[in-house]
Amino acid sequence: MELVSGKGRSVPKSAIREMFALQAQYDRVVSFALGEPHFSLPEHIRQAIEDSLRRGETHYTPNSGIMPLRRAISEAYERERGLSYLPEETLVAPGAIAALHLTVSAITDFGDEVILPDPGWSNYRGLMIQEGLVPVPVRLREENRFMFDPADLEAAITKKTRAILLNSPSNPTGGVADRKNLEQIAALALRHDLIVITDEIYRELIWTDEPYVSIAEFPGMRERTVIIDGFSKTYAMTGLRLGYAVAPLELMQTMNTMLENVYSCVGESVQWGGVAALTGPREPVEAMKAEYQKKRQLVAAGLNGIPGISCLPPAGAFYAFANITGTGMPCRDFAMELLREQQVVVVPGTGFGAGGEGFVRLSYATGEDTIREGIDKIGAFVHSRNG
Ligand SMILES: Cc1ncc(COP(=O)(O)O)c(C=O)c1O
């Protein structure tokens, strides 16, 4: 008897987790694998969580989250971004990925097509397949600073297309969509009557001088956009599992009904941690951002100093997407042999879609010494191949 469904069998394994598992074979590795802040939880957030536990808040909460958190999200969006959403137009989830899952369930019917960035975060493709949807990858090119080319997007739209998924700043490329690009995508979404899901989890980690732009800001887009956001990256809260979606009320009401069937609610103490994150001091976030800036420069300069490797300065997030075509090696061989010979872990670009061939991803959310050692070892590896 076959226990696993066809869709279950079709879900691809995560290349990031695969590399993470392989590194366990070695006593010591230099790892650029995981997209996870290495900072500790800011003290005021820890305090808020502990206070909540001491108050005995260990019970169910309203499905979409406690009102103080939903209000804090709504106020932060208005204050920091000029985006007006009612608290009722927010929904709290155990991580941005859960908010995305719920969004996809609520807006699609089986067999709908969803356009995804390629390269793009690998979970997008897996999630679409397990939801019975058809992922449609559209190539992002380095020469276009890893933004969608509107002509490529338009060519991928069919009668079955339901949504376009954007991710800016991007995992894995570190690319950030500019205003003109988003305006063109918005025009396409309006013309073809599509929903846009915009995964903005890295929006505070932005290294360009331009202010962050969301596609939800363009005329006619608020009504057809779902914003996915969360606390994991900005506040070093990955393991606490706290994310949210922001969308028009009508959709939120359905998502609220649907979430009862999947996770009921998020732990109340963690939600109070989210309130503290949004309403408390900004210094811890600014300090983490200053560190990322330094590391970003270190990693980009280091990679660009290796003959055969080049890397655009990452515009956002904490990933460098290094072009290794000059080494003549396919990216998977590069990653595997680098691990075997130098015990350095990078993720092959094809782990993020076929469009990632010729690239490897390095997460620089790690210590400066690790970055220096890793870059030296990558240099030695490439040199040994060329020499
Ligand atoms: C683009 C992107 N979206 C969402 C997530 C998941 O965030 P969360 O931890 O809130 O589920 C990640 C985590 O790596 C990510 O890279």
Side-chain angles (χ1 to χ4, degrees):
M1 188 210 172
E2 187 59 78
L3 287 177
V4 177
S5 67
K7 36 191 187 70
R9 280 196 300 275
S10 310
V11 175
K13 289 208 169 66
S14 156
I16 305 169
R17 293 284 164 184
E18 186 191 356
M19 292 308 294
F20 194 59
L22 280 177
Q23 75 180 49
Q25 298 172 2
Y26 299 89
D27 289 340
R28 183 176 178 276
V29 294
V30 177
S31 183
F32 293 104
L34 277 194
E36 147 149 281
H38 60 306
F39 298 110
S40 317
L41 181 67
E43 195 44 45
H44 67 287
I45 301 177
R46 178 193 313 282
Q47 193 61 57
I49 295 172
E50 284 178 9
D51 290 350
S52 166
L53 281 172
R54 272 200 209 94
R55 290 194 298 270
E57 290 166 350
T58 55
H59 302 279
Y60 288 131
T61 76
N63 294 134
S64 292
I66 56 172
M67 216 8 121
L69 178 54
R70 300 174 76 196
R71 217 176 287 124
I73 295 167
S74 157
E75 285 168 8
Y77 266 44
E78 184 76 58
R79 186 177 64 238
E80 293 163 13
R81 318 184 60 188
L83 292 173
S84 292
Y85 286 94
L86 296 169
E88 291 76 12
E89 290 175 308
T90 70
L91 174 146
V92 178
I97 185 67
L100 178 63
H101 182 188
L102 205 56
T103 301
V104 167
S105 301
I107 64 169
T108 57
D109 284 308
F110 291 117
D112 280 352
E113 295 177 2
V114 179
I115 293 180
L116 303 180
D118 175 13
W121 189 38
S122 45
N123 298 41
Y124 295 147
R125 183 156 174 267
L127 178 59
M128 300 309 151
I129 294 172
Q130 79 196 46
E131 283 293 292
L133 304 170
V134 181
V136 179
V138 169
R139 204 53 73 90
L140 308 184
R141 296 191 184 81
E142 189 181 32
E143 56 270 28
N144 200 22
R145 287 181 295 126
F146 296 113
M147 290 184 288
F148 274 126
D149 179 330
D152 291 344
L153 263 187
E154 185 139 41
I157 295 170
T158 72
K159 284 198 175 59
K160 303 218 85 181
T161 309
R162 178 68 171 146
I164 302 174
L165 199 159
L166 305 181
N167 174 219
S168 167
S170 149
N171 176 8
T173 70
V176 173
D178 63 22
R179 179 170 287 279
K180 181 162 168 274
N181 188 246
L182 290 174
E183 201 167 15
Q184 291 168 325
I185 299 171
L188 269 181
L190 287 163
R191 191 155 69 246
H192 293 274
D193 196 22
L194 303 177
I195 294 176
V196 173
I197 306 171
T198 168
D199 179 349
E200 303 187 350
I201 189 144
Y202 294 103
R203 89 186 139 80
E204 295 212 49
L205 307 180
I206 183 153
W207 320 126
T208 58
D209 294 332
E210 303 298 313
Y212 185 73
V213 197
S214 171
I215 198 159
E217 295 172 28
F218 293 88
M221 289 308 293
R222 188 195 185 283
E223 297 82 334
R224 58 178 65 245
T225 299
V226 183
I227 303 176
I228 304 296
D229 206 332
F231 296 83
S232 287
K233 314 290 176 174
T234 310
Y235 301 95
M237 284 172 67
T238 43
L240 290 170
R241 312 306 303 129
L242 190 62
Y244 54 95
V246 176
L249 195 58
E250 180 196 354
L251 179 59
M252 273 305 164
Q253 283 162 347
T254 299
M255 283 169 69
N256 182 52
T257 308
M258 292 174 85
L259 85 73
E260 167 67 16
N261 302 328
V262 281
Y263 60 80
S264 297
C265 69
V266 176
E268 178 157 3
S269 310
V270 172
Q271 295 192 52
W272 281 107
V275 176
L278 293 176
T279 59
R282 297 301 296 166
E283 287 79 9
V285 171
E286 293 308 322
M288 289 191 269
K289 284 169 67 173
E291 289 286 313
Y292 286 135
Q293 281 272 32
K294 274 197 274 173
K295 289 166 186 179
R296 160 189 181 256
Q297 273 155 11
L298 197 62
V299 84
L303 288 168
N304 282 314
I306 302 173
I309 298 189
S310 65
C311 180
L312 288 181
F318 37 59
Y319 305 105
F321 208 50
N323 184 328
I324 56 150
T325 46
T327 67
M329 297 174 77
C331 65
R332 203 178 151 79
D333 294 357
F334 183 99
M336 293 302 170
E337 287 171 37
L338 177 64
L339 174 62
R340 206 158 39 236
E341 291 177 23
Q342 295 284 347
Q343 290 81 58
V344 173
V345 191
V346 298
V347 183
T350 45
F352 305 95
E357 184 51 276
F359 294 85
V360 293
R361 188 196 80 171
L362 286 81
S363 162
Y364 56 88
T366 183
E368 279 184 39
D369 289 347
T370 305
I371 294 175
R372 283 204 185 85
E373 187 185 353
I375 296 287
D376 283 351
K377 290 186 162 179
I378 296 172
F381 169 72
V382 174
H383 183 73
S384 74
R385 296 295 155 141
N386 294 341

